[in-house]
Amino acid sequence: MQIRISWPTGQLTATIDDTPTSKALMGVLPFSATALIWGEEVYFETPVSRGPEPDARQVVEPGTVAFWTDGDALALPYGPTPISRGWGSPRTEFGGECRLASPCNILGRIDGDPRRLASVRAGDPIRVEPVTPDRA
């Protein structure tokens, strides 16, 4: 399964795994939301509400598509957050940790370079939609 996430200055696709939360998310597409920024993470509310899955994690790789159960939101980290080890250090000392606010359900991965999310600004409108074969 793939989704497209778009905002005024860009878009990306993500490959979504088959999980209970991802099935719930796919069932409400398309939807629109307002972007929020936390360090080098973009997140936004969804119409889905789910509890933590057994493999929920707090520390993830850049480009992970995660569902923040505490906020019913998609969390898209592309770098450190304010609670990442090394936050505020020079990038050479960062080490690549993306620490989310709390354990999140892992839904999949962004296709390509997740740093494209750096162009998202707080307050940007976000649209999430399924990628269909004729719109890939």
Side-chain angles (χ1 to χ4, degrees):
M1 299 180 283
Q2 278 191 305
I3 59 172
R4 177 176 290 106
I5 301 167
S6 55
W7 60 96
T9 59
Q11 69 173 8
L12 54 77
T13 60
T15 299
I16 303 300
D17 299 329
D18 188 10
T19 71
T21 303
S22 66
K23 287 178 184 174
L25 181 72
M26 296 301 283
V28 299
L29 297 180
F31 69 87
S32 295
T34 301
L36 299 164
I37 308 296
W38 190 52
E40 293 186 11
E41 175 190 307
V42 174
Y43 69 103
F44 48 88
E45 290 184 4
T46 74
V48 173
S49 183
R50 301 292 295 192
E53 294 178 4
D55 63 345
R57 294 191 314 245
Q58 187 172 15
V59 177
V60 299
E61 295 293 319
T64 298
V65 177
F67 183 80
W68 182 37
T69 60
D70 292 346
D72 295 336
L74 278 185
L76 306 172
Y78 59 92
T81 67
I83 61 171
S84 293
R85 289 192 181 112
W87 174 257
S89 300
R91 183 147 304 267
T92 55
E93 298 174 20
F94 156 55
E97 181 181 88
C98 296
R99 186 174 293 269
L100 305 172
S102 58
C104 292
N105 296 341
I106 306 305
L107 304 186
R109 291 222 25 99
I110 290 171
D111 301 324
D113 185 0
R115 294 213 46 88
R116 290 176 289 167
L117 290 164
S119 70
V120 177
R121 299 292 171 245
D124 275 355
I126 300 283
R127 180 165 173 82
V128 183
E129 59 193 337
V131 173
T132 56
D134 61 316
R135 294 202 58 217

